[in-house]
Amino acid sequence: MISIKNLSKIYKSKNRDDVTAVDNIDLSINQGEIFGVIGYSGAGKSTFIRLLNRLEEPTDGKIIMNEKDMTNLSNKELRNERQKIGMIFQHFNLLWSRTVFDNIAFPLEIAGIPKEQRKSKVQELIELVGLAGREDYYPSQLSGGQKQRVGIARALANDPKVLLCDEATSALDPQTTDDILDLLVSINQKLGLTIIVITHEMHVIKKICQQVAVMDNGKVIEQGEVLEVFMHPKEKTTRRFVQQVMGEQVEQSPIHYFVKNYESGKVLRLHFVGETANQAIISKLVKRFNVEINILQGNITQTKDGAYGTLYVHMDGPEEVVNEAIKYIQQTSVELEVEENA
């Protein structure tokens, strides 16, 4: 487990006000899970991830990783612990004068690994990340996705227990992003690595993460299981991220636009999770109750732990019948919110 307690980073300035980039963060990350940290630019997430391996020095707090307090290590101890922490970057950070093979071998050279052992390890990693046949290519001869695969292989060279990903897919096109995310999931499953993903894209979170923390102004404002955060976002920032992948625009949503067109009935928001996404709830309601149902807006998306969908409907009919239909929905596994009485 990674335990982060009261972690803060304050940048001091003589001529301006101090800047608090990370503000008193507490997080627990389970071994072997993929944990996402999401926030907009300036939220403090990149500073946060650099604090974990002390590329940035914390102002306050503790980071317990691999059963060591990262904030209380000597320089020699820190060098040893960093070998157990891999890191991949947004812009790859490859050595452009070295081949794919030599880029991946570089951390092994620094660690003093014998040549034959290095060769065997690098070849194993090249196979793992899908770069077989490109060992002698230079970075300039590779696509963006291939460059990131080199970065991932290099980060795995010293058999780390933790992999830090700082906006690792934000420079890639959507299809390549999905390919790299699939690779990270595969690595997580094969090697049992704990992976911490920093991103501003909710698509990344929903596709591969089990847990997520939402950052804003240096603070963690919301955290939990990805599916739970999707279903019940508490903070405005979180709701905006969820809307990214659900295709909802606040100013165009049924709550703010459709409901004013109805003189009776109720606008409902239905949440479908996992197997409930396959339930024919609308047809059952129409058959069972004397109500009219108008579908206003809906969407479904896939998270790592199952499908999540929302459906806005306007239900009209005699008030007592509408209320009975609502009670019927509440007895199913479909979650329901009455958005507004029309």
Side-chain angles (χ1 to χ4, degrees):
M1 176 180 286
I2 299 172
S3 179
I4 299 159
K5 300 287 187 184
N6 304 319
L7 187 64
S8 295
K9 175 64 179 181
I10 301 172
Y11 292 100
K12 301 286 185 179
S13 175
K14 291 182 179 179
N15 302 320
R16 294 175 298 191
D17 292 338
D18 296 345
V19 176
T20 302
V22 172
D23 191 356
N24 201 33
I25 286 180
D26 290 306
L27 284 177
S28 293
I29 300 171
N30 294 323
Q31 183 177 346
E33 79 177 354
I34 303 180
F35 190 100
V37 179
I38 190 167
Y40 291 108
S41 296
K45 57 191 187 297
S46 288
T47 301
F48 166 73
I49 202 170
R50 290 170 64 85
L51 290 170
L52 297 185
N53 58 4
R54 278 182 57 188
L55 290 177
E56 293 278 358
E57 288 295 326
T59 304
D60 198 7
K62 287 190 174 185
I63 304 162
I64 309 300
M65 191 182 302
N66 300 324
E67 300 181 350
K68 299 284 181 66
D69 183 355
M70 296 294 294
T71 59
N72 194 31
L73 298 176
S74 66
N75 288 336
K76 181 179 179 180
E77 290 171 329
L78 181 59
R79 284 195 296 271
N80 290 335
E81 286 305 308
R82 277 180 175 157
Q83 291 186 4
K84 302 175 186 176
I85 306 169
M87 190 163 186
I88 56 177
F89 304 88
Q90 177 180 358
H91 296 296
F92 321 125
N93 286 14
L94 302 182
L95 300 169
W96 295 92
S97 61
R98 283 179 167 243
T99 64
V100 167
F101 185 98
D102 291 335
N103 263 282
I104 299 170
F106 185 61
L108 297 171
E109 293 174 25
I110 294 175
I113 304 300
K115 184 175 181 180
E116 285 304 310
Q117 194 175 337
R118 289 202 308 265
K119 184 177 179 181
S120 174
K121 182 65 176 178
V122 171
Q123 201 57 50
E124 175 188 326
L125 290 169
I126 284 174
E127 295 287 340
L128 178 67
V129 301
L131 288 174
R134 292 179 170 81
E135 294 88 339
D136 297 326
Y137 284 38
Y138 287 89
S140 61
Q141 298 172 292
L142 302 175
S143 68
Q146 290 167 342
K147 290 171 188 173
Q148 195 57 285
R149 288 173 186 268
V150 177
I152 292 170
R154 181 185 57 189
L156 298 175
N158 283 315
D159 297 318
K161 296 181 179 179
V162 178
L163 183 62
L164 308 179
C165 306
D166 188 9
E167 297 279 11
T169 60
S170 62
L172 306 176
D173 63 77
Q175 182 57 57
T176 306
T177 291
D178 280 346
D179 292 342
I180 293 298
L181 295 178
D182 288 340
L183 176 60
L184 290 175
V185 170
S186 175
I187 288 168
N188 169 256
Q189 293 171 344
K190 290 177 180 177
L191 305 181
L193 279 175
T194 303
I195 301 179
I196 302 175
V197 177
I198 298 295
T199 184
H200 65 276
E201 299 171 297
M202 199 63 173
H203 169 74
V204 173
I205 299 295
K206 81 176 180 73
K207 186 172 176 66
I208 69 170
C209 297
Q210 289 114 349
Q211 298 276 334
V212 62
V214 182
M215 286 190 69
D216 194 19
N217 291 323
K219 296 178 179 288
V220 170
I221 59 171
E222 191 164 349
Q223 62 179 294
E225 295 181 0
V226 170
L227 201 51
E228 176 63 22
V229 170
F230 259 76
M231 288 171 57
H232 304 116
K234 298 179 178 66
E235 301 293 333
K236 182 179 179 181
T237 297
T238 312
R239 290 194 293 271
R240 289 172 63 193
F241 279 122
V242 171
Q243 287 158 5
Q244 280 183 5
V245 292
M246 295 306 293
E248 298 175 16
Q249 297 296 322
V250 174
E251 65 274 11
Q252 297 175 347
S253 74
I255 306 170
H256 299 278
Y257 177 74
F258 290 112
V259 75
K260 66 183 181 181
N261 295 323
Y262 299 109
E263 296 179 356
S264 62
K266 293 183 178 180
V267 172
L268 310 178
R269 186 185 190 200
L270 307 179
H271 298 268
F272 299 87
V273 184
E275 290 302 316
T276 67
N278 299 321
Q279 287 191 21
I281 189 72
I282 300 301
S283 63
K284 289 179 181 179
L285 287 169
V286 173
K287 289 176 182 178
R288 187 179 290 252
F289 301 96
N290 182 27
V291 293
E292 294 182 355
I293 297 179
N294 184 20
I295 296 174
L296 305 178
Q297 178 176 304
N299 208 333
I300 189 167
T301 191
Q302 193 72 32
T303 73
K304 189 167 174 31
D305 293 327
Y308 166 67
T310 59
L311 183 66
Y312 288 93
V313 301
H314 174 251
M315 183 187 294
D316 202 3
E319 184 176 356
E320 64 275 10
V321 178
V322 169
N323 290 334
E324 285 178 16
I326 288 173
K327 287 180 182 178
Y328 171 78
I329 298 171
Q330 291 170 334
Q331 292 170 0
T332 72
S333 53
V334 175
E335 293 193 21
L336 175 146
E337 295 177 38
V338 179
E339 293 290 356
E340 186 174 336
N341 288 326

